[in-house]
Amino acid sequence: MDMEQARYNMVEQQIRTWEVLNQDVLDLLFKVRREDFVPEAHRALAFVDMEIPLGHGQSMWTPKLEARVIQELALLPTDRVLEIGTGSGYLAALLASQALEVVSVDINPEFTAAATRKLRAHGFENITLRSGDGARDWADDAGFDVIVLTGSTPLLSEAFRRRLHVGGRLFAITGEAPAMEAQLITCIAPGAARSVTLFETCVAPLLNAPHPAAFVF
């Protein structure tokens, strides 16, 4: 398999056509080798427009979703980033390539351990990986400039908004299948935020994500 040709085809046929035109983001997709973060059994599918199984009911996002999210976040080299749901570690690598620091949390210790090995092998020293349940909040007094939830959540916890610095951005996919929306929420002042719906999609939920209160009759 010609990996470089497959990577080029992915960028030109999947990613550009999904409104990802920022050249820095496109260049990043050639720099960070996606195939190195895909489970070995699925390496031949690294550039296919599909979610790749990771085990434990979890999957990697499609390449176009990863790229679109990086573009929408407009990362700065001074940004401190929180990622909820490490998965393969690939999105953390993309985030860390453009930000100052990334804290990535996964509820599955196996994912944390595997991602740690891969990220260290690729020389990423600005990523801190943690095992824990971050679906509703992740305690950190320093706050964040960017927060990314890699699983969907029926109800978005207000705690994440409170952890954003002014000017900070939060990406979350909210709702329940089959109707989910990708949202970009920007903190415009202390206690005030602006939300934009970017597109519709459907991804697996975060374990222990909050749900709206059910009616009791």
Side-chain angles (χ1 to χ4, degrees):
M1 179 180 179
D2 186 337
M3 287 289 185
E4 295 312 313
Q5 185 63 50
R7 195 186 330 275
Y8 176 83
N9 292 343
M10 174 190 73
V11 170
E12 296 300 317
Q13 296 170 13
Q14 298 173 41
I15 292 171
R16 279 189 186 275
T17 58
W18 216 48
E19 301 179 28
V20 180
L21 302 174
N22 183 299
Q23 194 58 50
D24 288 341
V25 175
L26 297 176
D27 289 345
L28 185 60
L29 302 177
F30 287 93
K31 177 183 175 184
V32 182
R33 297 167 57 87
R34 192 173 197 267
E35 66 272 26
D36 292 346
F37 291 86
V38 171
E40 186 62 35
H42 302 299
R43 202 164 190 260
L45 303 175
F47 308 113
V48 176
D49 184 17
M50 64 174 286
E51 294 184 348
I52 296 177
L54 296 174
H56 302 283
Q58 302 301 307
S59 301
M60 289 180 72
W61 280 353
T62 62
K64 66 186 181 186
L65 179 54
E66 294 161 342
R68 180 73 178 273
V69 170
I70 295 295
Q71 175 175 272
E72 296 291 350
L73 288 171
L75 291 153
L76 300 173
T78 54
D79 280 342
R80 186 167 190 258
V81 181
L82 172 65
E83 178 190 40
I84 302 298
T86 307
S88 71
Y90 178 65
L91 187 66
L94 296 178
L95 293 165
S97 295
Q98 295 194 323
L100 177 67
E101 178 189 2
V102 174
V103 177
S104 186
V105 181
D106 204 289
I107 198 169
N108 190 314
E110 291 180 28
F111 289 166
T112 303
T116 297
R117 291 192 297 271
K118 292 174 183 176
L119 291 163
R120 295 295 176 262
H122 284 76
F124 286 98
E125 301 294 337
N126 61 332
I127 303 176
T128 302
L129 294 109
R130 296 281 184 261
S131 290
D133 185 356
R136 297 168 183 261
D137 189 16
W138 186 256
D140 189 303
D141 293 339
F144 297 94
D145 304 293
V146 171
I147 299 175
V148 182
L149 276 58
T150 66
S152 61
T153 180
L155 184 67
L156 181 60
S157 171
E158 286 292 329
F160 291 120
R161 290 186 178 92
R162 292 195 293 269
R163 296 208 181 276
L164 281 180
H165 299 152
V166 174
R169 291 85 68 206
L170 164 62
F171 176 85
I173 297 171
T174 60
E176 297 183 80
M180 297 183 184
E181 294 182 336
Q183 296 186 32
L184 184 68
I185 298 163
T186 303
C187 179
I188 56 177
R194 178 181 67 248
S195 179
V196 176
T197 298
L198 300 172
F199 49 84
E200 294 183 354
T201 189
C202 193
V203 301
L206 290 169
L207 294 177
N208 300 330
H211 288 71
F215 287 108
V216 178
F217 295 96

